[in-house]
Amino acid sequence: MDKRQQGKRTSKDLQLDQFRTDDRNKKLTTNQGLKMAEDEHSLTAGERGPTLMEDFHFREKMTHFDHERVPERVVHARGFAAHGEFEAYQSMEKYTKAGFLSEKGKKTPVFVRFSTVVGQKGSTDIPRDVRGFATKFYTDEGNYDLVSNNMPIFFIQDGIKFPDLVHSIKPEPHNEIPQATGAHDTFWDFVINNQETANQVMWLMSPRALPRSFRMMEGFSINTFRFVNAEGKSRFVRFKWIPVLGLHSFEWDEAQKVSGNDPDFNRRDLWMNIEMGNYPEFELGVQIIDEKDEFKFDFDILDATKFWPEEEIPVKVIGKMTLNRNVDNYFSETEQVAFHPGHVVPGIDFSNDPFFRDVSFPTRIRS
Ligand code: HEM
């Protein structure tokens, strides 16, 4: 185990050990495990002859290389991730039977992927855009995915409009301009024809769309879930990540310059701070509404375009996440990870939020 995997390890870390591999001091092999002396010369018929079909290792190496991409995510293609740990501040048993929230001090390994939404994999880190903030909790009862964005609401009220929204915000169809941002006609056509986007567009035009650092970004579940306790009593809940460093953004001109100088600014900032031991921390907050209060508010609490006002529905802080380890391999960890709002554990359930009609939809998972 290398330096980065050491430190305080929970029983879950130990359980995950069986899936970790260490290639040091092992012989070089083909993908089938056949030992080989080297893999840098192909087999030819004579010194200057053609390459032979029987060079099965050459063919395997090339075939593997030719297929070593999974299709780019339709949205959130550009992302950056890190490992860490979540610690519960208190028992939430009154509200949920979820084991990872059941006792004070309980620690759970996590993996977090931050992302932009519109841009392709190679686009800049700092366009004017929403940011994704997806967390996988490796709990004793299975993996729980908290899929969130850095703004508390969404563009649309019904998941069926999601393809239209995304097609409109992606680059113009004729010239593929602009990259990574919504500043163009097809997106504004969508906005003026769907008044429900007005609230989200205000957030998108705010500095929140230009985060200074992933370490200084909030995260919101947006969707309304349920907490269910051991007696079966259920309450509505929305989740919020709160950065311990506070919320900080770029000014527009600043963002232009930084993005031009270093399109990898946000990922470099996260990587370097973790390498320096400057571990990013985020507190987890929940807003809870009793079922009897479902219709108490002057807005629909299941509507993703509506913010749950924090002065009316206070945020209860229930734990803290610390990101303390960079990935060993970007492709196998950051690129291949799959988040899905349908990955819940006992104690966390769905509401009738219209977005959850889409929860079993296979495109929301990497395959
Ligand atoms: C019905 C509405 C929605 C649909 C159809 C949808 C669809 C998708 C798809 C297809 C992906 C790419 C998955 C992949 O290739 O791995 C994705 C990723 C993502 N979505 Fe959504 N989405 C919806 C709503 C939302 C909402 C409301 C949020 C915020 C709470 C959200 C946050 C994210 C995040 C953070 C990712 C990136 C996950 C990662 O880092 O891999 N999505 N979504």
Side-chain angles (χ1 to χ4, degrees):
M1 184 181 311
D2 72 16
K3 191 167 73 30
R4 289 200 251 129
Q5 287 173 341
Q6 285 164 4
K8 261 198 152 177
R9 308 182 75 237
T10 64
S11 59
K12 189 69 193 181
D13 285 314
L14 297 176
Q15 189 199 339
L16 291 172
D17 276 351
Q18 62 183 304
F19 303 109
R20 298 195 169 105
T21 55
D22 184 352
D23 291 334
R24 284 172 300 184
N25 302 323
K26 296 219 179 103
K27 298 273 186 240
L28 178 71
T29 68
T30 64
N31 289 358
Q32 316 309 320
L34 185 75
K35 247 195 292 174
M36 21 182 351
E38 54 90 10
D39 70 343
E40 291 176 345
H41 297 93
S42 46
L43 206 58
T44 54
E47 212 174 303
R48 292 176 56 73
T51 306
L52 295 176
M53 287 290 277
E54 70 188 52
D55 187 353
F56 59 87
H57 178 255
F58 170 77
R59 287 159 54 79
E60 181 187 74
K61 184 172 173 181
M62 281 307 175
T63 306
H64 193 267
F65 171 75
D66 291 349
H67 295 87
E68 71 187 14
R69 293 287 184 284
V70 289
E72 180 169 300
R73 286 163 170 77
V74 173
V75 280
H76 298 264
R78 181 166 177 86
F80 205 67
H83 295 271
E85 187 172 66
F86 174 78
E87 179 170 354
Y89 280 161
Q90 64 194 92
S91 168
M92 288 296 285
E93 270 174 340
K94 178 179 167 202
Y95 302 100
T96 171
K97 61 184 172 191
F100 76 107
L101 299 174
S102 65
E103 57 181 275
K104 183 175 182 315
K106 169 114 184 146
K107 292 185 174 168
T108 304
V110 294
F111 187 67
V112 177
R113 184 174 180 273
F114 300 103
S115 50
T116 58
V117 179
V118 182
Q120 298 171 1
K121 248 187 93 185
S123 52
T124 175
D125 272 350
I126 323 171
R128 178 172 293 285
D129 192 8
V130 177
R131 300 298 187 283
F133 185 150
T135 307
K136 191 177 288 288
F137 294 78
Y138 297 94
T139 86
D140 296 331
E141 295 149 311
N143 296 346
Y144 165 53
D145 291 349
L146 175 50
V147 187
S148 61
N149 279 350
N150 75 331
M151 301 180 195
I153 52 151
F154 205 62
F155 293 91
I156 47 174
Q157 292 170 318
D158 185 329
I160 197 167
K161 286 189 184 175
F162 190 85
D164 311 322
L165 163 72
V166 172
H167 287 157
S168 82
I169 204 165
K170 287 280 180 179
E172 295 277 324
H174 56 300
N175 55 13
E176 235 205 0
I177 295 175
Q179 299 287 304
T181 185
H184 58 107
D185 291 352
T186 49
F187 178 60
W188 288 107
D189 279 351
F190 184 87
V191 170
I192 55 167
N193 285 301
N194 293 275
Q195 291 103 332
E196 74 215 62
T197 61
N199 195 358
Q200 171 77 82
V201 167
M202 295 298 159
W203 286 89
L204 189 60
M205 294 302 134
S206 81
R208 204 172 274 255
L210 303 167
R212 151 76 180 74
S213 163
F214 293 138
R215 299 176 293 131
M216 303 166 194
M217 224 171 68
E218 290 183 333
F220 300 87
S221 68
I222 302 175
N223 296 125
T224 305
F225 290 83
R226 284 172 190 274
F227 264 164
V228 184
N229 68 14
E231 285 78 52
K233 184 171 168 47
S234 121
R235 297 173 174 88
F236 297 106
V237 64
R238 283 191 182 184
F239 298 89
K240 175 180 182 182
W241 287 115
I242 306 156
V244 170
L245 290 175
L247 183 69
H248 299 278
S249 298
F250 284 118
E251 293 283 349
W252 174 246
D253 286 342
E254 209 177 16
Q256 298 303 294
K257 287 184 188 133
V258 176
S259 173
N261 281 327
D262 183 3
D264 300 315
F265 185 86
N266 285 154
R267 59 171 57 190
R268 196 186 305 284
D269 168 272
L270 188 71
W271 174 274
M272 284 174 54
N273 278 285
I274 293 176
E275 286 300 292
M276 289 189 293
N278 219 354
Y279 299 143
E281 295 173 318
F282 301 86
E283 289 190 310
L284 181 63
V286 287
Q287 289 175 287
I288 298 173
I289 297 179
D290 276 347
E291 278 194 338
K292 67 172 172 30
D293 294 333
E294 182 173 357
F295 301 107
K296 196 179 113 183
F297 302 92
D298 61 359
F299 62 92
D300 182 351
I301 64 164
L302 303 185
D303 181 346
T305 65
K306 302 294 184 299
F307 182 45
W308 282 14
E310 295 182 357
E311 62 281 10
E312 281 181 66
I313 311 149
V315 178
K316 187 180 173 64
V317 175
I318 63 170
K320 188 168 77 176
M321 170 169 79
T322 306
L323 301 182
N324 54 18
R325 180 161 62 91
N326 280 315
V327 300
D328 293 316
N329 185 293
Y330 181 91
F331 181 72
S332 64
E333 295 170 71
T334 309
E335 186 61 16
Q336 294 203 84
V337 67
F339 295 94
H340 188 316
H343 291 164
V344 291
V345 286
I348 300 178
D349 214 324
F350 310 110
S351 69
N352 289 336
D353 181 330
F355 272 48
F356 292 139
R357 289 175 202 149
D358 179 60
V359 121
S360 59
F361 213 63
T363 53
R364 295 189 72 181
I365 193 164
R366 303 247 81 201
S367 53

